[in-house]
Amino acid sequence: MSKQWQVPIVYIVIHMGLMFFNYPSNVIASTRSTHWLPILIGYLLHVAALFVYLKGMSYFGNENIVMFLMKKSKLLARVTLLPLLLSLSIIIILLVRSNAEVISIVFLSNTPLWILIALMLLIPAYMVLQGGLNGLLRTGLVLSILFVPPIIFVLAAAFQNIDPHYALPLWSRDSDASAFLGRSSYYDSLFSFAGCFLFLGFVPSFASLKPKAIYLASVVLLPLYLLSVYVPIMTLGEDTALQLEFPFFFTIDTIEIDWLMFDRITMFLLLSLLSFVMLYSALILWQMVYIIRTAIIEIRTGIILPVIVALVLVVCLCIPDWKVIERYFTVNAPLWGYVSVATPIIVFLTGRRHVKRMERKIP
Amino acid sequence: MWQFYCLWTKKNVSVDVLNEKRSIVYRIRLGSVGILTNEIKYEEDTGNLKRGTDMTLANKMQLEFSRDQDYISRRLLVGDDVIVLLGLRSLIDFPHTISMLRLQLIAEDISEHPFQVKLAGLGHALSETQIDEVIAEVQNGMLVAIHDASGTCVSIFPVPQTLSRAIESPFSENSVRGSSSAFNEDLQTNIGLLRKHLNASDLQTASFTFGTTVKHRLILTYLSGSISSVLLASITNALESHLTQDVSNLQELSKALGINGFTFITHYNTTDLPQNAAGALKKGKAVIFLDRFPFAIVLPGLASDAFMTEDDLNFPYLYMVLLRCLRLVGILITLIFPGLYVALVSVNPDVLRFELAHSIAKSRLDVPYPAVVETLLLLLVLELLLEAIIRLPSSTGPTVTMVGGIILGQAAVSAKLVSNLLIIILAAVTIASATIVGFQNSLSLRLAKYLLLFLSAFFGVMGLMSGLVVICSYLAGKKTLGVPYLQLKKPEGE
């Protein structure tokens, strides 16, 4: 299949997997009006980080960041990659635990939670074992063919009950417009922007990475982010949306389609998104295995992967409820913020120094 | 006469001792037919041992085939010369072959040439000392002619017995708008058909012979301009390194190609139709013909082979796209429907509209076991039916169809063993599974639906989705000779 589209599609799809869960409620909680402003600023930050990251990687040629940094300096590589590894492991724990909770609430209230956690972990682990990064990229492509149409259908149906007046005013003159910058929920919302773009650094040397296609893909994301926030607001109004844990899913639950045999089209959306979450979990697991194998200790995937999965499973089981997950999210935010800002910058600086030195050598 | 058992040749040896004038002659005969292999003369006057004549090639061959009733060794007088003809009567039409040979040897226009030159011109020369080569020629159905006087040994194309059927329409696949002449068991016919469909100067064929005692010929064809050199190299390397292995079925062929046998997908596809083989060659795949197999083996198999055929290209573009979409829908229905039924009935009835959930529940009111057991039971009957129809001769086939119709029909519902809806779903699944291209692909599909069925029984719709993800990642991870399975058109490496 067309190889140049694998990476951009996986990039879009894993962002989709994150953006509909916590993002709408965080943004709605962070500001009272002009919701597009926090979304746009978050998006621009994302594009800026992406630009620095991709620019830095373009200096590397056909090597991924782990290989390149290890070649430059082992210390630098470990200083850069260890925080990444740590935050990846926290993210996968939170991701698996929170999604198991969501599945338990929506679909399987009678099934013990540990089985759901195991399911959300074992399938990504199997995906990693099956094909490595190339296999994951191909899986992403097939999953997008299977599961993007239902999402588009649901998004199209989501406009059923909207009232555009709720989105107004688009610009308010009061000083409150930038108040979201002071709220912690806004910084939580940034996670869905920062969550996954770092995997791009691992792609070169496995598959071709065209920066242009990635920028193009990031353009596709902006309307999706706007939709994820504005659909609940326009359907329920800002005050009601603020009360809900998952405003987007609640909005979708209100949709009524006469000719469909299903009562809740939320099912389609949620299942599709969960498949993307599984893909994202698999990517995280693969990144962790790759970092460990390349930068820390040479060990077979078949040994290290079960160890990681078992550890994550145990930690997941220790998290008692949703409140704790949210607290961990907030605790993890500074670390993740540091990783997603520092990694691109380190990559950029190392890459530029490398190129400058090469230029000096070959005048 | 003395009888011995020779440990070296592992054959019975008899020695005749003849008392002649002033000498004793030992005639050593081999085998049950008693072919003279050596004659030793002991001269009493001088005390010398003299060797008699060595065994002739014809005698050696007679010995080799001594237990084979099929083997014929015939002397033929052509003018003043005697030639010995060797061959297998089941493969060679002897009366026709001999008259053809005679006509050619006594033709007027070459009468001034010496006999052995004329004979040599009829075929390719064999070395008399290389008996293995001569045996191989005879086994391959060639006629071997030996002219003892000049020591010439020639292998000639005989008039063969007709052992292959004529070119017929295909049995295991249908073509609506393409040509319908199909491959048959004869290698040469198959290559010829392929050449007729693909008149290209860069169509290359390479021949391999597998096996030590039982020989199998395999012909590899490819378009040198289209195939990637890496793929070609990996195929030829794999074949060449397994030449001693027996390749009499496709499992052994997979082994020879270095393909892991423990797999749920087919790493190569088979086709009856020359147009499909030609299309595959143009896309850069390799096509393998195996002796006595009435189809071409297309390597490597890709995911697209399950829903795209060469025949589609004879329809207008839009219809081609729609037909392929229809097949994809068929594949998805086959995979999802049984699992969806179980998930909706037993785990997640809440996602259904109330009216529908109610009517399904009503239809299952009297069914005494869980939905997954019900579905498994009926699926088992269905699988048995599919298998039984293949096994039975066509004269008794309709019985199975009729009885199957009773089990998978209203009777089962009236007996309150299964619900109405399940019958409809399984009928839809059976129809949908037939839309997939290629029998071997439909096997994978038939199996994959059970994974979804069991996951759905445990996790409901969530299990259905996880099953799809597992199948996708399984397909994404598979490779054939370094070529990922999940591709559409040209087989490319990673």
Side-chain angles (χ1 to χ4, degrees):
Chain A
M1 285 190 201
S2 40
K3 276 192 219 154
Q4 69 266 35
W5 288 110
Q6 281 178 359
V7 183
I9 282 178
V10 168
Y11 165 84
I12 293 176
V13 148
I14 56 179
H15 277 96
M16 279 168 91
L18 294 182
M19 67 170 65
F20 294 105
F21 288 95
N22 289 324
Y23 185 70
S25 60
N26 282 332
V27 170
I28 292 168
S30 70
T31 180
R32 300 289 302 172
S33 58
T34 59
H35 294 90
W36 57 268
L37 195 62
I39 301 173
L40 193 67
I41 287 179
Y43 176 75
L44 288 177
L45 283 175
H46 169 77
V47 174
L50 195 64
F51 175 77
V52 172
Y53 197 40
L54 288 175
K55 191 79 195 153
M57 264 153 48
S58 69
Y59 295 131
F60 296 0
N62 217 5
E63 280 176 327
N64 62 43
I65 55 167
V66 183
M67 280 160 70
F68 186 82
L69 290 176
M70 283 300 281
K71 222 167 63 181
K72 281 279 125 189
S73 135
K74 281 201 173 148
L75 185 70
L76 178 70
R78 281 176 190 158
V79 167
T80 320
L81 294 172
L82 280 183
L84 180 61
L85 184 64
L86 185 65
S87 51
L88 280 176
S89 39
I90 297 175
I91 285 175
I92 186 140
I93 291 166
L94 295 178
L95 202 65
V96 167
R97 182 62 181 78
S98 59
N99 283 299
E101 187 89 27
V102 169
I103 296 168
S104 174
I105 293 168
V106 183
F107 299 120
L108 298 161
S109 39
N110 295 330
T111 313
L113 200 62
W114 69 268
I115 295 184
L116 298 177
I117 293 172
L119 182 76
M120 287 302 284
L121 258 177
L122 289 181
I123 290 179
Y126 172 77
M127 289 162 82
V128 173
L129 281 181
Q130 250 321 303
L133 185 61
N134 291 95
L136 286 179
L137 292 177
R138 284 194 291 272
T139 314
L141 206 55
V142 188
L143 288 182
S144 72
I145 292 169
L146 279 177
F147 292 115
V148 165
I151 291 182
I152 291 175
F153 167 72
V154 170
L155 287 182
F159 288 93
Q160 198 185 40
N161 299 325
I162 60 160
D163 180 357
H165 291 101
Y166 282 132
L168 300 175
L170 284 179
W171 180 250
S172 64
R173 280 174 177 277
D174 54 357
S175 55
D176 203 34
S178 59
F180 64 86
L181 289 174
R183 302 218 169 94
S184 74
S185 65
Y186 177 65
Y187 295 99
D188 286 349
S189 83
L190 287 180
F191 169 72
S192 69
F193 281 116
C196 20
F197 75 96
L198 285 179
F199 97 91
L200 293 173
F202 294 75
V203 169
S205 83
F206 290 97
S208 72
L209 177 71
K210 295 221 167 62
K212 214 171 165 185
I214 302 291
Y215 294 134
L216 215 65
S218 73
V219 172
V220 177
L221 287 181
L222 182 59
L224 289 173
Y225 277 110
L226 287 170
L227 271 182
S228 76
V229 174
Y230 271 99
V231 164
I233 288 180
M234 289 195 292
T235 313
L236 308 167
E238 204 261 329
D239 289 321
T240 319
L242 190 57
Q243 310 296 324
L244 298 164
E245 186 82 52
F246 296 110
F248 193 83
F249 293 118
F250 185 83
T251 315
I252 301 297
D253 252 345
T254 64
I255 294 166
E256 191 77 25
I257 299 174
D258 289 336
W259 50 266
L260 204 67
M261 59 189 261
F262 295 100
D263 197 25
R264 294 156 58 197
I265 57 169
T266 326
M267 181 193 77
F268 292 113
L269 180 71
L270 204 54
L271 284 181
S272 309
L273 294 179
L274 283 172
S275 76
F276 297 155
V277 169
M278 281 183 179
L279 178 69
Y280 180 42
S281 312
L283 270 173
I284 293 179
L285 282 179
W286 180 83
Q287 286 176 62
M288 290 169 71
V289 169
Y290 188 74
I291 292 175
I292 291 173
R293 285 185 55 187
T294 332
I296 298 172
I297 178 169
E298 216 159 290
I299 189 166
R300 272 179 39 217
T301 312
I303 297 170
I304 187 69
L305 189 63
V307 172
I308 294 176
V309 167
L311 284 177
V312 172
L313 186 66
V314 168
V315 177
C316 279
L317 291 176
C318 297
I319 300 177
D321 59 17
W322 189 259
K323 286 273 167 295
V324 181
I325 301 174
E326 285 203 322
R327 212 171 57 234
Y328 284 176
F329 250 113
T330 319
V331 169
N332 181 36
L335 175 64
W336 186 247
Y338 163 76
V339 166
S340 48
V341 172
T343 314
I345 291 175
I346 292 172
V347 164
F348 178 76
L349 292 178
T350 331
R352 215 175 60 171
R353 240 183 74 199
H354 170 72
V355 170
K356 285 245 167 90
R357 199 173 292 167
M358 295 301 274
E359 275 172 357
R360 228 171 290 150
K361 266 185 198 164
I362 314 158
Chain B
M1 189 168 75
W2 303 333
Q3 291 278 354
F4 299 96
Y5 180 73
C6 177
L7 287 173
W8 184 42
T9 56
K10 304 261 166 66
K11 284 190 172 112
N12 285 322
V13 181
S14 58
V15 181
D16 301 335
V17 185
L18 305 174
N19 272 309
E20 291 180 359
K21 262 188 224 164
R22 296 181 184 182
S23 63
I24 304 171
V25 178
Y26 302 89
R27 280 199 185 138
I28 303 163
R29 294 176 183 277
L30 258 182
S32 54
V33 256
I35 294 158
L36 180 69
T37 61
N38 232 325
E39 198 178 73
I40 297 167
K41 192 182 259 183
Y42 174 70
E43 290 175 354
E44 285 179 338
D45 295 349
T46 54
N48 282 344
L49 276 175
K50 273 194 178 169
R51 262 184 93 190
T53 48
D54 258 348
M55 197 159 53
T56 62
L57 180 62
N59 282 347
K60 282 184 197 162
M61 290 292 286
Q62 180 77 48
L63 182 68
E64 199 63 44
F65 286 94
S66 57
R67 284 172 193 273
D68 194 349
Q69 288 300 308
D70 204 14
Y71 175 77
I72 280 188
S73 161
R74 248 197 79 167
R75 284 174 182 279
L76 181 70
L77 269 169
V78 185
D80 302 330
D81 294 278
V82 181
I83 55 175
V84 183
L85 298 178
L86 315 175
L88 297 176
R89 83 178 91 205
S90 57
L91 298 179
I92 296 172
D93 181 351
F94 264 96
H96 282 106
T97 306
I98 287 171
S99 58
M100 173 197 84
L101 212 59
R102 247 182 215 290
L103 271 176
Q104 287 182 343
L105 286 173
I106 58 171
E108 286 286 323
D109 50 344
I110 53 165
S111 55
E112 71 271 17
H113 293 291
F115 183 78
Q116 62 266 35
V117 176
K118 283 193 274 185
L119 186 66
L122 292 181
H124 71 271
L126 298 172
S127 160
E128 246 186 286
T129 51
Q130 303 241 307
I131 187 154
D132 286 342
E133 200 185 334
V134 182
I135 292 168
E137 289 292 316
V138 168
Q139 277 177 337
N140 280 338
M142 301 292 279
L143 181 79
V144 173
I146 303 166
H147 186 230
D148 269 334
S150 62
T152 320
C153 180
V154 189
S155 162
I156 303 166
F157 267 111
V159 179
Q161 300 273 26
T162 37
L163 296 171
S164 294
R165 59 197 165 105
I167 294 168
E168 291 165 11
S169 48
F171 285 110
S172 70
E173 61 191 305
N174 289 319
S175 122
V176 185
R177 307 194 70 165
S179 98
S180 62
S181 48
F183 291 125
N184 64 16
E185 285 80 3
D186 189 46
L187 265 183
Q188 306 305 331
T189 316
N190 292 350
I191 305 287
L193 272 175
L194 187 63
R195 279 201 189 276
K196 281 270 183 199
H197 273 83
L198 194 65
N199 184 357
S201 57
D202 60 346
L203 175 62
Q204 310 275 328
T205 57
S207 173
F208 300 86
T209 307
F210 282 90
T212 42
T213 47
V214 182
K215 309 248 186 214
H216 283 279
R217 254 183 94 201
L218 178 151
I219 292 183
L220 168 71
T221 59
Y222 54 91
L223 283 183
S224 53
S226 306
I227 196 167
S228 96
S229 51
V230 184
L231 176 65
L232 182 63
S234 57
I235 294 176
T236 38
N237 285 347
L239 290 179
E240 271 166 7
S241 56
H242 293 93
L243 282 180
T244 50
Q245 196 185 306
D246 195 14
V247 176
S248 53
N249 51 43
L250 294 191
Q251 259 184 34
E252 284 167 348
L253 178 69
S254 308
K255 218 179 277 172
L257 284 165
I259 294 168
N260 185 1
F262 201 75
T263 167
F264 293 116
I265 57 159
T266 44
H267 290 272
Y268 44 76
N269 274 290
T270 55
T271 176
D272 277 10
L273 291 166
Q275 51 175 336
N276 288 357
L281 285 174
K282 275 191 233 161
K283 281 180 196 154
K285 298 183 188 178
V287 171
I288 287 175
F289 292 97
L290 205 53
D291 210 2
R292 308 323 285 173
F293 276 86
F295 46 74
I297 297 151
V298 179
L299 204 76
L302 302 182
S304 58
D305 297 329
F307 59 94
M308 286 154 100
T309 69
E310 208 60 26
D311 198 26
D312 297 342
L313 298 174
N314 299 323
F315 291 94
Y317 182 77
L318 208 57
Y319 288 98
M320 178 190 83
V321 174
L322 289 174
L323 282 173
R324 286 176 178 176
C325 287
L326 197 63
R327 288 184 205 131
L328 277 178
V329 170
I331 292 172
L332 282 179
I333 286 181
T334 314
L335 281 177
I336 292 174
F337 265 32
L340 191 65
Y341 172 79
V342 172
L344 292 183
V345 166
S346 59
V347 189
N348 297 109
D350 49 313
V351 287
L352 280 177
R353 217 165 250 291
F354 175 73
E355 299 84 355
L356 194 61
H358 179 68
S359 82
I360 293 176
K362 226 166 68 184
S363 83
R364 287 200 77 248
L365 210 56
D366 297 316
V367 180
Y369 26 69
V372 61
V373 177
E374 180 194 5
T375 316
L376 271 179
L377 265 180
L378 222 53
L379 275 176
L380 180 71
V381 175
L382 205 64
E383 301 289 350
L384 288 174
L385 189 69
L386 279 173
E387 187 58 21
I389 283 185
I390 298 174
R391 291 296 137 248
L392 279 175
S394 55
S395 49
T396 43
T399 323
V400 172
T401 324
M402 203 172 68
V403 175
I406 295 171
I407 296 179
L408 300 171
Q410 198 55 37
V413 178
S414 319
K416 309 228 160 69
L417 293 175
V418 291
S419 78
N420 275 319
L421 187 65
L422 183 63
I423 300 270
I424 297 169
I425 282 175
L426 290 194
V429 166
T430 318
I431 295 168
S433 70
T435 54
I436 194 170
V437 178
F439 180 69
Q440 66 282 10
N441 289 323
S442 79
L443 284 180
S444 322
L445 195 63
R446 264 162 74 182
L447 190 66
K449 70 174 181 260
Y450 288 96
L451 172 74
L452 267 69
L453 184 70
F454 284 114
L455 279 172
S456 303
F458 287 119
F459 299 109
V461 281
M462 178 65 202
L464 200 64
M465 185 277 283
S466 335
L468 283 177
V469 172
V470 168
I471 290 173
C472 288
S473 61
Y474 181 79
L475 295 180
K478 282 290 152 199
K479 284 188 214 164
T480 312
L481 298 163
V483 179
Y485 179 70
L486 217 53
Q487 298 190 48
L488 279 186
K489 283 180 185 149
K490 260 182 166 311
E492 285 175 55
E494 291 212 305

